[in-house]
Amino acid sequence: MTIVDAVFLFVAGFLSGVVNAIAGGGTFLTFGAMTLTGLPPIVASATSAITQFPGYVTSTLAYAREIRADRREAMVLGAWSLVGGLIGALILVSMSNAAFRVLVPWLILGATLVFAAGPYLRPKTLSPEKPVSPAGLAGQFVTSIYGGFFGAGMGIMTLAVLGLTKGGDYHRLNALKNFLALVIAAMAIVVFASGDVVAWPQAAIMVPAGAIGGYAGVWAARRVPQPVIRGLVVAVGLALTVYYFVMG
């Protein structure tokens, strides 16, 4: 790993923390940066889970007030997410790099399309206080399996599920999203570390960058217009989709 690679990874880690705190999708950046510097896709995906974790912690702490307001739902959704994250991580470590590489562009494309369609899918009649429905629990369970497996777009999918089944204020939904991402990533990290598929030098560079970006992202989320945030995330997702389809 060269000095240029290290700087590139640090910048990608910081930006991923910002994006994750705002709307999700930061794993697009960390996964892309690590594959561009030569890591195999499974190692890059597993290491991304490590690098995203501090950002999830800091952004969850920054949203502590909103999470306390939805404490009961956070615990229920968190339990489902813990199990789903375990299942997804175990699936990933059982695959070959060649098989996983084929899935990458489709995974990123699917996550980007879900995020782009989110505002049009979200019912506007749901009460902010409406509890998450059984369909919402099932949707989050599926999302958590995906999150443990790959992670790119996990926050996007969680926001879509919460928007469809709960509704309400964006920041309360975003707070729940950050908390659930924290739970899923924690479980995945345990599996990946025990499976010896983590690039620790790269993780050591990106972890502090992600932590700083995660806290900065909550500050930005309260001030930057949502259409701007959404447009940037969709643009990144589509660009990476094209790249992985072309480069294979």
Side-chain angles (χ1 to χ4, degrees), residues 125-170:
T125 57
L126 288 177
S127 166
E129 302 301 324
K130 183 179 180 66
V132 175
S133 66
L137 293 176
Q140 179 55 29
F141 181 65
V142 173
T143 299
S144 64
I145 294 174
Y146 169 81
F149 176 68
F150 185 43
M154 172 176 61
I156 296 170
M157 293 180 178
T158 300
L159 279 176
V161 169
L162 293 174
L164 283 167
T165 60
K166 177 176 174 60
D169 177 73
Y170 166 80

Side-chain angles (χ1 to χ4, degrees), residues 36-164:
L36 287 174
T37 56
L39 289 180
I42 287 179
V43 174
S45 184
T47 306
S48 287
I50 304 289
T51 62
Q52 300 301 307
F53 189 72
Y56 293 144
V57 172
T58 53
S59 56
T60 297
L61 290 174
Y63 267 132
R65 181 182 60 187
E66 288 84 354
I67 294 171
R68 282 195 297 268
D70 289 311
R71 185 183 300 106
R72 182 180 178 278
E73 285 187 323
M75 293 300 102
V76 173
L77 287 165
W80 283 94
S81 297
L82 195 68
V83 177
L86 172 62
I87 294 172
L90 290 173
I91 293 173
L92 177 64
V93 297
S94 70
M95 294 186 70
S96 68
N97 277 296
F100 183 63
R101 193 187 306 272
V102 173
L103 294 177
V104 167
W106 296 104
L107 292 168
I108 294 177
L109 177 61
T112 303
L113 292 177
V114 167
F115 183 77
Y120 306 100
L121 296 174
R122 176 180 171 180
K124 301 183 183 300
T125 57
L126 288 177
S127 166
E129 302 301 324
K130 183 179 180 66
V132 175
S133 66
L137 293 176
Q140 179 55 29
F141 181 65
V142 173
T143 299
S144 64
I145 294 174
Y146 169 81
F149 176 68
F150 185 43
M154 172 176 61
I156 296 170
M157 293 180 178
T158 300
L159 279 176
V161 169
L162 293 174
L164 283 167

Side-chain angles (χ1 to χ4, degrees), residues 1 4 14 37 44 49 74 82 97-98 104 113 117 126 131 155 160 168 171-172 178-179 193 204 206 210 216 221 242:
M1 182 172 53
V4 174
F14 173 81
T37 56
L82 195 68
N97 277 296
V104 167
L113 292 177
L126 288 177
H171 291 295
R172 288 182 67 174
N178 287 340
F179 171 72
M206 301 180 85
V242 172

